């Protein structure tokens, strides 16, 4: 097995539960060596993905375009960033774990609902839309006041307590139609729809969102 990475000194600044989780991640038996860049900076609209499935960034990650936490040909992996993350949109892929020990500053949308994904943030979370709590969720380790999002679809976990932001948004007014999952809503008759709230039944389609963000585009009608 490749040698295990040594966490940088700033791991001591992370909340104890998050620090323990990171230490466990770094002991995983992996077939490929961890990538350990000092920092990541990328200008332009092109999306950024880690080049290797297991990546430890020892400083900030600053990308002008979208960040997709996934790696070609791999169904699981880890991205740990010891610092702030800044990007246009963030998507955490199926089977991947994403950890940010600083502030997660996203201009538009965070999609943290893919199956078997983990999204942990120590500092503030800033975004226009946070899709969390349907299939998977974002866990906030700082004070609940650090959740600074305009729209939250379901919930964020803070310890064992869910943080909800009622009412949830009507996604039809925010995002482009091709990234909506309307199946449950459209299965209802007009009479049944009249008794339901569309905000409770209409979701983001995870696969469609990934495809669109992977092309470098926005999910929003008015990016």
């Amino acid at each position: 097995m490749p040698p295990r990475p040594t966490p940088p000194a700033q791991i001591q600044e992370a909340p104890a539960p998050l620090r323990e989780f990171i230490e466990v991640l770094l002991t995983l038996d992996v077939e490929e060596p961890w990538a350990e860049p000092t920092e990541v900076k990328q200008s332009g609209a092109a999306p950024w993905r880690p080049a290797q499935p297991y990546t430890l960034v020892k400083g900030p990650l600053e990308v002008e375009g979208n960040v997709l936490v996934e790696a070609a040909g791999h169904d699981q992996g880890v991205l740990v960033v010891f610092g702030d993350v800044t990007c246009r949109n963030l998507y955490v892929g199926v089977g991947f774990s994403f950890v940010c020990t600083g502030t997660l500053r996203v201009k538009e949308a965070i999609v943290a609902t893919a199956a078997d994904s983990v999204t942990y943030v120590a500092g503030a979370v800033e975004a226009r839309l946070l899709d969390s709590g349907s299939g998977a969720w974002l866990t906030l380790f700082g004070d609940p006041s650090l959740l600074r999002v305009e729209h939250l679809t379901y919930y964020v976990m803070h310890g064992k307590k869910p943080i909800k932001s009622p009412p949830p948004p009507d996604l039809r007014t925010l995002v482009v139609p091709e990234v909506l999952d309307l199946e449950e809503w459209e299965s209802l008759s007009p009479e049944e729809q009249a008794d339901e709230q569309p905000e409770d039944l209409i979701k983001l389609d995870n696969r469609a969102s990934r495809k669109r963000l992977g092309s470098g585009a926005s999910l929003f009608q008015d990016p």
Side-chain angles (χ1 to χ4, degrees):
M1 292 290 178
R4 292 168 175 166
T6 301
Q10 56 263 44
I11 191 175
Q12 300 303 323
E13 301 172 7
L18 183 58
R19 183 169 66 247
E20 293 168 4
F21 179 72
I22 295 171
E23 289 170 344
V24 170
L25 290 178
L26 299 184
T27 64
L28 293 174
D29 291 329
V30 299
E31 295 181 357
E32 302 177 34
W34 284 71
E36 300 183 57
T38 302
E39 62 181 12
V40 173
K41 292 190 176 184
Q42 177 176 294
S43 59
W48 180 87
R49 298 174 175 86
Q52 294 174 241
Y54 294 88
T55 299
L56 186 158
V57 182
K58 298 180 179 179
L61 188 153
E62 299 175 2
V63 174
E64 289 186 359
N66 302 333
V67 168
L68 286 84
V69 183
E70 59 181 20
H74 296 270
D75 56 10
Q76 61 184 4
V78 174
L79 173 62
V80 179
V81 180
F82 284 97
D84 297 341
V85 173
T86 304
C87 60
R88 184 183 183 191
N89 292 281
L90 173 72
Y91 173 86
V92 183
V94 174
F96 275 73
S97 295
F98 168 71
V99 179
C100 170
T101 68
T103 291
L104 176 57
R105 189 174 292 109
V106 177
K107 181 180 179 182
E108 295 180 358
I110 300 169
V111 182
T113 54
D116 300 319
S117 67
V118 172
T119 305
Y120 284 173
V121 183
V125 177
E126 301 174 3
R128 184 177 172 192
L129 171 66
L130 171 54
D131 186 33
S132 169
S134 174
W137 54 86
L138 183 147
T139 299
L140 180 70
F141 284 80
D143 189 88
S145 66
L146 295 175
L147 182 62
R148 303 166 185 165
V149 300
E150 186 176 347
H151 301 288
L152 173 61
T153 54
Y154 297 97
Y155 62 84
V156 164
M157 291 303 296
H158 182 254
K160 295 182 179 180
K161 181 180 179 181
I163 301 174
K164 299 181 180 180
S165 181
D170 184 345
L171 293 172
R172 295 173 299 178
T173 68
L174 291 176
V175 302
V176 294
E178 54 263 40
V179 300
L180 288 175
D181 179 354
L182 299 168
E183 182 177 1
E184 187 172 3
W185 175 252
E186 292 182 343
S187 70
L188 303 178
S189 67
E191 293 77 14
E192 290 171 326
Q193 288 180 353
D195 293 330
E196 298 288 347
Q197 295 295 322
E199 297 89 344
D200 296 331
L201 300 178
I202 297 174
K203 305 177 182 180
L204 278 184
D205 184 295
N206 195 274
R207 290 186 179 182
S209 297
R210 173 191 172 276
K211 181 178 180 181
R212 188 168 176 88
L213 295 176
S215 73
S218 171
L219 302 183
F220 284 94
Q221 298 175 15
D222 57 342

